[in-house]
Amino acid sequence: SQTIHQWPATLVQPVGSPLSLECTVEGTSNPNLYWYRQAAGRGLQLLFYSVGIGQISSEVPQNLSASRPQDRQFILSSKKLLLSDSGFYLCAWSELAGANQETQYFGPGTRLLVL
Amino acid sequence: DAKTTQPPSMDCAEGRAANLPCNHSTISGNEYVYWYRQIHSQGPQYIIHGLKNNETNEMASLIITEDRKSSTLILPHATLRDTAVYYCIDSEGGSQGNLIFGKGTKLSVKP
């Protein structure tokens, strides 16, 4: 069965510091991968998605970047964190199961607090 | 912004069926109806999805009206662990469809 891991689970960082969040998926090959952010009391916002190694699509302009160095590894980074980067970061994966059927499955999330 | 509308909250007695409604007034022909739930401080959990026909799995049943403008998620025997925020989403799925989560329905299962 497939599993998705994220770490760290929680992170407190000062403004201006760098960031690296990691997501890995097991039990599947060539998944689509996604990074979402959920601000407190709000819905999920899609940040990036990737359909393959080195292929990254950005959904919103921001202070963050994403990379996919390996098939089942997705990394979210920032060179200098802003206060507004605080939130709950979720990684998700999907695979094509039929025509237009790609259910997304989410990881446990990383809670980031920028002070 | 979310394309679906849901009641903000519902209560259900433990052991009873929980019926969560959703309106999909702008759903398009190639969009599926997805249901997820999010327990506090955890990632969203996939529950079920469907296109036109009613669906059932080990977690829940999904009833979709013939015009596809509304759906109902049914948890047949709610437990305290089913307390969560439930989201219905119209999506083409995967990289073709951004999952836009609205505010969902906060379901409280009470003993």
Side-chain angles (χ1 to χ4, degrees):
Chain A
S1 64
Q2 301 88 355
T3 55
I4 180 169
H5 305 279
Q6 287 187 245
W7 63 90
T10 60
L11 191 60
V12 180
Q13 291 285 96
V15 170
S17 64
L19 174 74
S20 181
L21 303 182
E22 188 163 346
C23 170
T24 59
V25 182
E26 297 176 355
T28 185
S29 297
N30 197 32
N32 292 330
L33 297 172
Y34 311 81
W35 278 112
Y36 288 85
R37 176 171 58 204
Q38 186 174 34
R42 303 187 67 179
L44 273 67
Q45 179 186 34
L46 179 64
L47 303 175
F48 301 95
Y49 72 88
S50 170
V51 299
I53 295 174
Q55 300 179 63
I56 309 294
S57 296
S58 175
E59 288 296 301
V60 293
Q62 59 205 301
N63 184 42
L64 302 168
S65 61
S67 62
R68 185 169 177 174
Q70 300 181 45
D71 180 44
R72 288 168 288 177
Q73 184 185 31
F74 206 21
I75 297 173
L76 185 69
S77 304
S78 173
K79 293 182 179 179
K80 288 186 177 182
L81 283 169
L82 306 172
L83 288 174
S84 58
D85 291 324
S86 294
F88 191 38
Y89 287 84
L90 290 153
C91 181
W93 71 274
S94 70
E95 61 183 4
L96 187 63
N100 293 329
Q101 290 198 61
E102 286 196 48
T103 299
Q104 293 185 30
Y105 299 94
F106 288 83
T110 294
R111 196 162 299 281
L112 171 66
L113 179 60
V114 182
L115 300 175
Chain B
D1 292 343
K3 296 170 51 182
T4 60
T5 55
Q6 299 175 255
S9 64
M10 290 182 63
D11 290 342
C12 178
E14 188 178 18
R16 303 297 294 270
N19 297 283
L20 294 97
C22 180
N23 287 325
H24 311 263
S25 58
T26 62
I27 192 169
S28 63
N30 57 348
E31 288 183 317
Y32 287 76
V33 174
Y34 283 84
W35 281 84
Y36 285 80
R37 71 181 182 184
Q38 189 170 23
I39 296 170
H40 183 62
S41 296
Q42 298 182 22
Q45 178 188 23
Y46 165 76
I47 301 174
I48 198 167
H49 76 283
L51 184 62
K52 296 180 182 178
N53 300 322
N54 299 337
E55 302 287 345
T56 295
N57 63 19
E58 65 278 4
M59 289 184 67
S61 294
L62 173 61
I63 308 297
I64 302 174
T65 58
E66 191 169 343
D67 64 3
R68 304 210 319 128
K69 298 300 184 184
S70 66
S71 70
T72 301
L73 179 74
I74 302 172
L75 307 178
H77 305 287
T79 70
L80 298 179
R81 287 178 293 182
D82 291 322
T83 292
V85 179
Y86 287 77
Y87 300 95
C88 65
I89 303 161
D90 302 337
S91 176
E92 295 179 15
S95 60
Q96 301 301 317
N98 178 7
L99 291 182
I100 301 175
F101 284 68
K103 295 186 177 179
T105 296
K106 175 71 191 314
L107 176 69
S108 298
V109 181
K110 301 182 183 298

Coordinates of all heavy atoms in Angstrom, one line a residue, chain A residues 103, chain B residues 4 22-24 27-36 46-53 55 62-65 68-73 87-93 99:
Chain A
T103 N -7.5 10.6 -7.6 CA -7.7 11.0 -6.3 C -6.4 11.5 -5.6 O -5.4 10.8 -5.7 CB -8.4 9.9 -5.5 OG1 -9.6 9.5 -6.1 CG2 -8.6 10.2 -4.1
Chain B
T4 N -18.6 24.8 -4.1 CA -19.6 24.1 -3.5 C -20.1 24.9 -2.2 O -19.3 25.7 -1.7 CB -19.2 22.7 -3.1 OG1 -18.0 22.8 -2.2 CG2 -18.8 21.9 -4.3
C22 N -24.5 18.7 0.3 CA -23.6 19.6 -0.4 C -24.3 20.1 -1.7 O -24.9 19.2 -2.4 CB -22.3 18.9 -0.8 SG -21.1 19.9 -1.7
N23 N -24.2 21.3 -2.1 CA -24.7 21.8 -3.3 C -23.6 22.1 -4.3 O -22.6 22.7 -3.9 CB -25.5 23.1 -3.1 CG -26.8 22.9 -2.4 OD1 -27.5 21.9 -2.6 ND2 -27.2 23.8 -1.5
H24 N -23.8 21.6 -5.5 CA -22.8 21.7 -6.6 C -23.4 22.5 -7.8 O -23.6 21.9 -8.8 CB -22.3 20.4 -7.1 CG -21.9 19.4 -6.0 ND1 -20.6 19.2 -5.6 CD2 -22.7 18.6 -5.2 CE1 -20.6 18.3 -4.7 NE2 -21.8 17.9 -4.4
I27 N -21.2 22.6 -11.1 CA -20.4 21.5 -11.5 C -20.5 21.2 -13.0 O -21.5 21.4 -13.6 CB -20.9 20.2 -10.7 CG1 -19.9 19.1 -10.9 CG2 -22.3 19.8 -11.1 CD1 -20.1 17.9 -10.0
S28 N -19.4 20.9 -13.6 CA -19.3 20.7 -15.1 C -19.3 19.2 -15.3 O -19.1 18.4 -14.4 CB -18.1 21.3 -15.7 OG -16.9 20.8 -15.2
G29 N -19.5 18.8 -16.6 CA -19.8 17.4 -17.0 C -18.6 16.5 -16.7 O -18.8 15.3 -16.4
N30 N -17.4 17.0 -16.7 CA -16.2 16.2 -16.5 C -15.6 16.3 -15.1 O -14.5 15.8 -14.8 CB -15.1 16.5 -17.5 CG -14.7 17.9 -17.4 OD1 -15.4 18.7 -16.8 ND2 -13.6 18.3 -18.1
E31 N -16.4 16.9 -14.2 CA -15.9 17.0 -12.8 C -16.6 16.0 -11.9 O -17.8 15.7 -12.0 CB -16.3 18.4 -12.2 CG -15.4 19.5 -12.8 CD -15.7 20.9 -12.2 OE1 -16.9 21.2 -12.0 OE2 -14.7 21.6 -11.9
Y32 N -15.7 15.4 -11.1 CA -16.2 14.4 -10.1 C -16.6 15.1 -8.8 O -16.1 16.2 -8.5 CB -15.1 13.4 -9.8 CG -14.9 12.4 -10.9 CD1 -14.2 12.7 -12.0 CD2 -15.3 11.1 -10.7 CE1 -14.0 11.8 -13.0 CE2 -15.1 10.1 -11.7 CZ -14.4 10.5 -12.9 OH -14.2 9.6 -13.9
V33 N -17.4 14.5 -8.0 CA -17.7 14.9 -6.7 C -16.8 14.2 -5.7 O -16.8 13.0 -5.6 CB -19.2 14.7 -6.3 CG1 -19.4 15.0 -4.8 CG2 -20.1 15.5 -7.2
Y34 N -16.0 14.9 -5.0 CA -15.1 14.3 -4.0 C -15.5 14.7 -2.6 O -15.9 15.9 -2.4 CB -13.6 14.8 -4.2 CG -12.9 14.2 -5.4 CD1 -13.0 14.6 -6.7 CD2 -12.0 13.1 -5.2 CE1 -12.4 14.1 -7.7 CE2 -11.4 12.5 -6.2 CZ -11.5 13.0 -7.5 OH -10.9 12.4 -8.5
W35 N -15.3 13.8 -1.7 CA -15.5 14.1 -0.3 C -14.2 13.8 0.5 O -13.7 12.7 0.4 CB -16.7 13.4 0.3 CG -18.0 14.0 0.0 CD1 -18.7 13.8 -1.1 CD2 -18.8 14.8 0.8 NE1 -19.9 14.5 -1.1 CE2 -20.0 15.1 0.1 CE3 -18.6 15.4 2.1 CZ2 -21.0 16.0 0.6 CZ3 -19.6 16.2 2.6 CH2 -20.8 16.5 1.8
Y36 N -13.8 14.7 1.3 CA -12.7 14.6 2.2 C -13.1 15.0 3.6 O -14.1 15.7 3.8 CB -11.5 15.5 1.8 CG -10.7 15.0 0.6 CD1 -11.2 15.3 -0.7 CD2 -9.5 14.4 0.8 CE1 -10.4 14.9 -1.8 CE2 -8.7 14.0 -0.3 CZ -9.2 14.2 -1.6 OH -8.5 13.8 -2.7
Y46 N -9.1 11.3 2.4 CA -10.0 11.0 1.3 C -11.1 10.1 1.8 O -10.8 9.1 2.6 CB -9.3 10.4 0.1 CG -10.2 9.7 -0.9 CD1 -10.9 10.4 -1.8 CD2 -10.3 8.3 -0.9 CE1 -11.7 9.8 -2.7 CE2 -11.1 7.7 -1.8 CZ -11.8 8.4 -2.7 OH -12.6 7.8 -3.6
I47 N -12.4 10.3 1.4 CA -13.5 9.5 1.9 C -14.0 8.7 0.7 O -14.0 7.5 0.6 CB -14.6 10.3 2.5 CG1 -14.1 11.0 3.7 CG2 -15.7 9.3 2.9 CD1 -15.1 12.0 4.4
I48 N -14.5 9.4 -0.3 CA -15.2 8.8 -1.4 C -15.3 9.8 -2.6 O -15.2 11.0 -2.4 CB -16.6 8.3 -1.0 CG1 -17.2 7.2 -1.9 CG2 -17.5 9.5 -0.8 CD1 -18.4 6.5 -1.3
H49 N -15.5 9.3 -3.8 CA -15.8 10.2 -4.9 C -16.7 9.5 -5.9 O -16.9 8.3 -5.9 CB -14.6 10.7 -5.6 CG -13.9 9.7 -6.5 ND1 -13.1 8.7 -6.0 CD2 -13.9 9.6 -7.8 CE1 -12.6 8.0 -7.0 NE2 -13.0 8.6 -8.2
G50 N -17.4 10.3 -6.7 CA -18.3 9.7 -7.7 C -18.5 10.7 -8.8 O -18.3 11.9 -8.7
L51 N -19.0 10.2 -10.0 CA -19.3 11.1 -11.1 C -20.8 11.2 -11.3 O -21.3 12.4 -11.2 CB -18.7 10.4 -12.4 CG -18.9 11.3 -13.7 CD1 -18.1 12.6 -13.5 CD2 -18.4 10.5 -14.9
K52 N -21.6 10.1 -11.5 CA -23.0 10.2 -11.7 C -23.7 9.3 -10.7 O -24.8 9.6 -10.2 CB -23.4 9.9 -13.1 CG -22.8 10.8 -14.2 CD -23.3 10.4 -15.5 CE -22.7 11.3 -16.6 NZ -23.1 10.8 -18.0
N53 N -23.2 8.1 -10.6 CA -23.9 7.0 -9.9 C -23.6 7.1 -8.4 O -22.6 7.7 -8.0 CB -23.4 5.6 -10.3 CG -23.7 5.4 -11.8 OD1 -24.8 5.9 -12.3 ND2 -22.8 4.8 -12.5
E55 N -22.3 5.8 -4.9 CA -21.1 5.0 -4.6 C -21.1 4.6 -3.1 O -21.6 5.4 -2.3 CB -19.8 5.8 -4.9 CG -19.7 6.3 -6.3 CD -19.4 5.1 -7.3 OE1 -19.0 4.0 -6.8 OE2 -19.5 5.4 -8.5
L62 N -22.2 7.7 -1.0 CA -22.3 9.0 -1.6 C -23.6 8.9 -2.5 O -23.6 8.0 -3.4 CB -21.1 9.3 -2.4 CG -21.1 10.5 -3.3 CD1 -21.4 11.8 -2.5 CD2 -19.8 10.6 -4.1
I63 N -24.5 9.8 -2.3 CA -25.7 9.9 -3.1 C -25.6 11.2 -3.9 O -25.4 12.3 -3.4 CB -27.0 9.9 -2.2 CG1 -27.0 8.8 -1.2 CG2 -28.2 9.9 -3.1 CD1 -27.0 7.4 -1.8
I64 N -25.7 11.0 -5.3 CA -25.6 12.2 -6.2 C -26.9 12.3 -6.9 O -27.4 11.3 -7.5 CB -24.5 12.0 -7.2 CG1 -23.1 11.8 -6.5 CG2 -24.4 13.2 -8.1 CD1 -22.0 11.5 -7.4
T65 N -27.5 13.5 -6.9 CA -28.8 13.6 -7.5 C -28.6 13.5 -9.1 O -27.5 13.7 -9.6 CB -29.4 15.0 -7.2 OG1 -28.5 16.0 -7.6 CG2 -29.7 15.1 -5.7
R68 N -27.0 16.2 -10.8 CA -25.7 16.4 -10.2 C -25.5 17.7 -9.5 O -24.3 18.1 -9.2 CB -24.6 16.2 -11.3 CG -24.7 14.9 -12.0 CD -23.4 14.3 -12.5 NE -22.5 15.3 -13.1 CZ -21.2 15.5 -12.8 NH1 -20.7 14.7 -11.8 NH2 -20.5 16.4 -13.3
K69 N -26.5 18.4 -9.2 CA -26.4 19.7 -8.5 C -26.3 19.6 -7.0 O -26.0 20.6 -6.3 CB -27.6 20.6 -8.9 CG -27.7 20.9 -10.4 CD -26.5 21.6 -10.9 CE -26.7 22.0 -12.4 NZ -25.5 22.6 -13.0
S70 N -26.5 18.4 -6.5 CA -26.3 18.2 -5.0 C -25.9 16.8 -4.7 O -26.2 15.9 -5.6 CB -27.6 18.6 -4.3 OG -28.6 17.7 -4.6
S71 N -25.3 16.6 -3.6 CA -24.9 15.3 -3.2 C -25.0 15.2 -1.7 O -25.1 16.2 -1.0 CB -23.4 15.0 -3.6 OG -22.5 15.8 -2.8
T72 N -25.1 14.0 -1.2 CA -25.2 13.7 0.3 C -24.2 12.6 0.6 O -24.1 11.6 0.0 CB -26.6 13.3 0.7 OG1 -27.5 14.3 0.3 CG2 -26.6 13.0 2.2
L73 N -23.3 12.9 1.6 CA -22.4 11.9 2.2 C -23.1 11.3 3.4 O -23.6 12.0 4.3 CB -21.1 12.6 2.6 CG -20.1 11.6 3.2 CD1 -19.5 10.7 2.1 CD2 -19.0 12.4 4.0
Y87 N -15.5 18.1 3.8 CA -15.4 18.9 2.6 C -16.0 18.2 1.4 O -15.5 17.1 1.1 CB -14.0 19.4 2.3 CG -13.3 20.2 3.4 CD1 -12.5 19.5 4.3 CD2 -13.5 21.5 3.5 CE1 -11.9 20.2 5.3 CE2 -12.8 22.3 4.5 CZ -12.0 21.6 5.4 OH -11.4 22.3 6.4
C88 N -16.8 18.8 0.6 CA -17.2 18.3 -0.7 C -16.6 19.2 -1.8 O -16.5 20.4 -1.6 CB -18.7 18.2 -0.9 SG -19.5 19.8 -0.9
I89 N -16.1 18.6 -2.8 CA -15.3 19.4 -3.8 C -15.6 18.9 -5.2 O -15.8 17.7 -5.4 CB -13.8 19.1 -3.6 CG1 -13.4 19.5 -2.2 CG2 -12.9 19.9 -4.6 CD1 -12.1 18.9 -1.7
D90 N -15.8 19.8 -6.1 CA -16.0 19.4 -7.5 C -14.6 19.5 -8.2 O -13.9 20.5 -8.1 CB -16.8 20.4 -8.3 CG -18.2 20.5 -7.7 OD1 -18.7 19.6 -7.0 OD2 -18.9 21.6 -7.9
S91 N -14.1 18.4 -8.8 CA -12.8 18.5 -9.4 C -12.7 17.5 -10.5 O -13.3 16.4 -10.5 CB -11.7 18.2 -8.3 OG -10.4 18.1 -8.9
E92 N -11.8 17.9 -11.5 CA -11.5 16.9 -12.5 C -10.5 15.9 -12.1 O -10.3 14.9 -12.7 CB -10.9 17.7 -13.8 CG -11.9 18.6 -14.4 CD -11.3 19.3 -15.6 OE1 -10.2 18.9 -16.0 OE2 -11.9 20.3 -16.0
G93 N -9.9 16.2 -10.9 CA -9.0 15.2 -10.3 C -7.6 15.4 -10.7 O -7.3 15.8 -11.9
L99 N -7.8 20.9 -6.2 CA -8.8 20.7 -5.1 C -9.0 22.0 -4.4 O -8.1 22.4 -3.6 CB -8.3 19.6 -4.2 CG -8.3 18.1 -4.7 CD1 -7.9 17.2 -3.6 CD2 -9.6 17.7 -5.3

